Amino acid sequence: MLALRLARGTHPLVLTRRLLVAAAAAGVGFLLLCTLGYAVGHPAQSSASVLRLLWCALPLAATVQFAVAVARTDPSTRPRPGLSAVGLGPVRLTAVAAASTAVACTLGSMVALLFYLHLRGDITGLPFDGAAAELLAADQPMPLAAALTLLAILPVVAATAAGLALRPRSAPAEPEGVEKSVPSGLPWGVALVAIGLAIETYAGRSGAADGLPLPGRFDGSPAGVLAGWVLTAFGLALAGPGLTYGCGRLLQAVRPGATRLLAGRVLMDESRRIGRPLGVVSAVLSGTLAAAALYASGTGPAAFGPLTGLGAALVMACTTATLLTAALESKQCRAHTTEALLRLGAPPTVLRTAALMRAGALVAVFLPLTWFVAELAALPLTG
């Protein structure tokens, strides 16, 4: 109830972000229900149904990441003076953030259920009544308990992840005169990318593995290739903070001026906050480019079905929205520094130029890396 009352008084932009979370949750819920419909209509193909359910884990993970990023930027979850006196301490605010995330995801799941029932023909009186009755196994009774269980996965996971991300914890005191270290995930990320590309190359050239029955007729890829793509994506996400930190170092190289120094220091300080979402976007974009190259070469599937398109659109939209939300959070966290620089007489053009330098450095590093990984990922199958 407290989360709902706080939602009524929030800014329209905050409500818009929550509605976007609900929309993403609706897409994930519809994919899960379609997987259930396939299992009901094909009871003899249980292994294929399990693989389709595992395929839904990618959009589900992207939606959870987006929901956590929205919860981190929610103004109602920040400690403010006087809130502890009325019982809204850090622990209670964390619970409020988790509850708000659960409410948004539950709303999207209920919309997905209504839309699914409408396409099956169970709910009539609206356009497209029963338009996908054959695809969704409308001739079979839908197991309501299984449907509600699948729809409850996303709200529970997203609320738990938001609570863990926003839980109060004390930061360790750093010794004076000691600079913040390089995020330590870069070597492990590079190793995972190399291992993933090696597994994909071996699986793609061996040609001995069977294709996985994924949704939307995207079922011609060996399991080793998809496993290699997953490892490569994890590697890029893990290496993102280290690469962002390195971009900040490069901006400050060779006698930097005030603008380059400011841009580099901001990138170094915010490398952990924006580096991980940036690495995830790079991984998703490289996978998209590799799939497009595979499709253009004529060796991939002849067509991508609607469920594959919906899942890919959800992953791309959620990861991009997460990156933009993380950039907004970074801007909010350094608002006091920006105000202090303006009070000291720093021209606004310096701040804008520093922001353009940061964006340019990130694009100059991540864009060629994304293209290079995409080419290597598509080479074993297109060659």
Side-chain angles (χ1 to χ4, degrees):
M1 185 61 68
L2 178 60
L4 293 176
R5 291 192 175 186
L6 290 175
R8 291 177 56 190
T10 53
H11 195 272
L13 289 179
V14 178
L15 291 177
T16 302
R17 291 197 293 266
R18 292 179 180 173
L19 289 177
L20 290 177
V21 172
V28 174
F30 184 75
L31 284 178
L32 292 172
L33 291 175
C34 288
T35 301
L36 177 62
Y38 179 86
V40 171
H42 303 79
Q45 302 179 9
S46 58
S47 59
S49 301
V50 172
L51 289 173
R52 287 170 176 263
L53 184 62
L54 292 177
W55 171 252
C56 298
L58 292 178
L60 188 145
T63 303
V64 169
Q65 184 193 28
F66 178 44
V68 172
V70 170
R72 291 173 64 94
T73 57
D74 196 336
S76 62
T77 62
R78 299 175 191 166
R80 281 167 287 181
L83 290 182
S84 298
V86 295
L88 288 177
V91 177
R92 187 72 180 273
L93 289 178
T94 300
V96 170
S100 300
T101 304
V103 168
C105 293
T106 302
L107 175 63
S109 298
M110 292 300 102
V111 171
L113 178 60
L114 293 177
F115 187 65
Y116 179 80
L117 294 176
H118 172 59
L119 291 181
R120 273 176 52 98
D122 297 334
I123 298 179
T124 59
L126 295 173
F128 306 106
D129 288 341
E134 183 178 357
L135 177 63
L136 303 179
D139 56 336
Q140 300 290 334
M142 187 185 71
L144 184 59
L148 295 180
T149 300
L150 287 177
L151 292 177
I153 292 177
L154 180 59
V156 172
V157 174
T160 304
L164 292 176
L166 297 175
R167 70 186 187 277
R169 49 183 178 267
S170 57
E174 295 184 357
E176 294 184 1
V178 177
E179 189 180 5
K180 280 186 177 180
S181 60
V182 176
S184 59
L186 183 58
W188 294 102
V190 174
L192 282 179
V193 171
I195 293 173
L197 291 175
I199 292 176
E200 181 191 349
T201 302
Y202 176 78
R205 290 185 176 178
S206 64
D210 296 330
L212 292 179
L214 298 178
R217 291 170 288 180
F218 188 43
D219 53 3
S221 298
V225 173
L226 297 177
W229 279 3
V230 171
L231 284 178
T232 302
F234 274 114
L236 287 175
L238 193 60
L243 292 174
T244 306
Y245 190 90
C247 291
R249 282 287 192 185
L250 288 177
L251 281 177
Q252 300 176 83
V254 192
R255 297 181 180 181
T259 305
R260 279 203 295 141
L261 187 63
L262 176 62
R265 293 300 300 181
V266 169
L267 273 184
M268 291 171 61
D269 292 339
E270 302 295 333
S271 60
R272 289 180 173 86
R273 181 175 285 111
I274 66 175
R276 189 64 54 81
L278 191 58
V280 173
V281 170
S282 178
V284 172
L285 185 57
S286 65
T288 303
L289 293 176
L294 182 62
Y295 177 78
S297 66
T299 58
F304 294 95
L307 297 183
T308 302
L310 176 60
L314 279 174
V315 172
M316 289 187 290
C318 288
T319 52
T320 304
T322 301
L323 177 59
L324 296 177
T325 306
L328 176 62
E329 181 188 5
S330 175
K331 182 179 179 180
Q332 292 174 349
C333 290
R334 63 173 187 271
H336 297 292
T337 303
T338 303
E339 293 175 359
L341 289 174
L342 293 176
R343 285 197 303 267
L344 291 174
T349 54
V350 172
L351 301 178
R352 289 194 291 267
T353 304
L356 291 176
M357 283 185 176
R358 293 195 299 272
L362 294 176
V363 170
V365 170
F366 279 91
L367 193 60
L369 176 64
T370 301
W371 176 82
F372 180 70
V373 172
E375 289 294 321
L376 290 181
L379 186 61
L381 296 178
T382 57

